[in-house]
Amino acid sequence: MSLRKNISWLLFPLTCWYAVGVWCRNMLFALGIKKQEAPHITTIGVGNLSTGGSGKTPHVEYLLRLLADRYPTAVLSRGYKRQTRGYLLDDGSHDPRLLGDEPAMLAAKFPNVQVAVCEKRVEGVRRLMAQERVEQGPDGEEIHISTAPQLIILDDVFQHRHIKPSINILLTEYRHPYSRDHILPYGDLREFKSARHRASIVIVTKSPANLNPIERHNLVQDLRLQNYQKVFFSYFRYLPLRTLDGHESGVDLRRTDNVLVVTGIAHPDSLVSELKQYTRVQHLSFPDHHDFSARDIARIKKTFDALSGTNNIIVTTEKDATRLAGRLAGLPVYVQPIEVAFHMNPDLNFDQIIDSSVRENISFLSKLNIWS
């Protein structure tokens, strides 16, 4: 942000034009010229106002752990930086080239969940709802059996106004809340702060594990939410390191000489800070969703070989592991898993609110004979 502030006089005209474009687009939706569809299926939208780094995928994982064992569930994502186009349902290969890194990771971690990608979310939802398998009846006739999910989690959908989720969740990062940011390109916001009112739930992500009540109160006031909006604070729990194939590693970071951290995510600072509590850390940072080239792999190997000591390892994120798998053969590469946890709130319980809303919505749709 400091660089942007230093050249703000150059960015201001671009910011103005971008803001006008965003205002016009939202006005078209407000007037009904651009159409918004509320699918006849329970959907949970997870998104943010900024350009990235708020922790969408870990929160999607949290929802999957909460709901996927009770309801037939699907995840629909854009599939950022995939090498395919259009609608695609994971076939069990979990290939990041076909799905993108985050959907591929989700498909591998949740085999009971249907993971699909599509740039047009309305089309993607329709395709998921139309899924069926064909079986032969006793007289040889074809029987079409629906395999449509009951619940679809829409990843990174807040700006995709053509679809209206049943539950709309807005994420904002504790250290970079939308209330203290500005619209692109001067800031990181993809649209005006007033868009926050479309959310029914706001989650302040990546907050400290020990959250100061006064800071919490001040930030809630700063967010300027409406009475119908519920706000929660979440944080990351760092789990024991795992191997690239998902097994427990047994690695004790305190016994290592150095850790080379390789990341291609938006805001890796919290991960680096976590690892620095246990050992010496060197960090190679690449852009979010980075497609590692042969030159990048050579740089990683060269940096690792130059580390002092003998007991050194490489640590990367789960998302980056999908793109690094098989490319650092012979090196001690481990994955740092994380999971989302919520700060206690005596008045509100996130799990209960989500579970109740999903159950009521599915029941309501069933009574309308939506399901075939």
Side-chain angles (χ1 to χ4, degrees), residues 121-311:
R121 304 303 203 280
V122 173
E123 177 188 348
V125 168
R126 288 174 181 168
R127 295 283 292 270
L128 283 168
M129 293 174 65
Q131 285 185 138
E132 61 181 20
R133 70 175 188 270
V134 179
E135 295 183 357
Q136 274 201 323
D139 298 325
E141 75 277 15
E142 287 188 349
I143 301 176
H144 294 257
I145 301 173
S146 174
T147 59
Q150 285 185 309
L151 169 67
I152 301 176
I153 298 176
L154 304 168
D155 182 27
D156 196 12
V157 76
F158 204 78
Q159 280 72 43
H160 294 269
R161 299 289 309 277
H162 290 284
I163 195 164
K164 185 177 182 180
S166 311
I167 305 168
N168 211 3
I169 300 176
L170 173 65
L171 308 182
T172 189
E173 195 176 354
Y174 179 82
R175 290 182 175 82
H176 307 281
Y178 63 74
S179 55
R180 301 170 193 170
D181 206 346
H182 305 277
I183 204 163
L184 287 166
Y186 177 67
D188 286 320
L189 297 184
R190 293 188 273 190
E191 56 180 320
F192 297 107
K193 299 173 188 179
S194 58
R196 66 189 181 275
H197 298 317
R198 298 202 303 268
S200 55
I201 293 174
V202 175
I203 303 176
V204 181
T205 68
K206 300 184 183 180
S207 63
N210 298 311
L211 183 60
N212 185 306
I214 296 176
E215 292 180 358
R216 175 177 181 154
H217 173 79
N218 290 341
L219 184 51
V220 170
Q221 294 297 114
D222 203 24
L223 295 177
R224 299 177 65 186
L225 300 177
Q226 300 296 313
N227 291 334
Y228 64 85
Q229 296 178 293
K230 300 175 177 64
V231 61
F232 298 90
F233 283 73
S234 69
Y235 61 98
F236 285 161
R237 278 202 289 245
Y238 292 88
L239 306 178
L241 295 180
R242 304 184 76 87
T243 60
L244 282 174
D245 56 4
H247 295 99
E248 292 186 12
S249 68
V251 171
D252 185 349
L253 286 168
R254 291 167 295 188
R255 296 180 180 273
T256 60
D257 294 324
N258 297 276
V259 169
L260 176 62
V261 183
V262 179
T263 62
I265 59 177
H267 296 151
D269 297 350
S270 58
L271 170 60
V272 174
S273 298
E274 172 70 15
L275 296 174
K276 281 183 176 179
Q277 296 181 61
Y278 307 103
T279 187
R280 289 181 294 184
V281 171
Q282 185 164 341
H283 183 204
L284 284 181
S285 179
F286 296 89
D288 196 15
H289 300 281
H290 184 65
D291 185 13
F292 293 97
S293 65
R295 185 175 181 179
D296 296 328
I297 298 300
R299 180 187 171 196
I300 293 169
K301 291 179 178 179
K302 182 178 179 180
T303 304
F304 180 77
D305 290 340
L307 294 176
S308 60
T310 57
N311 187 18

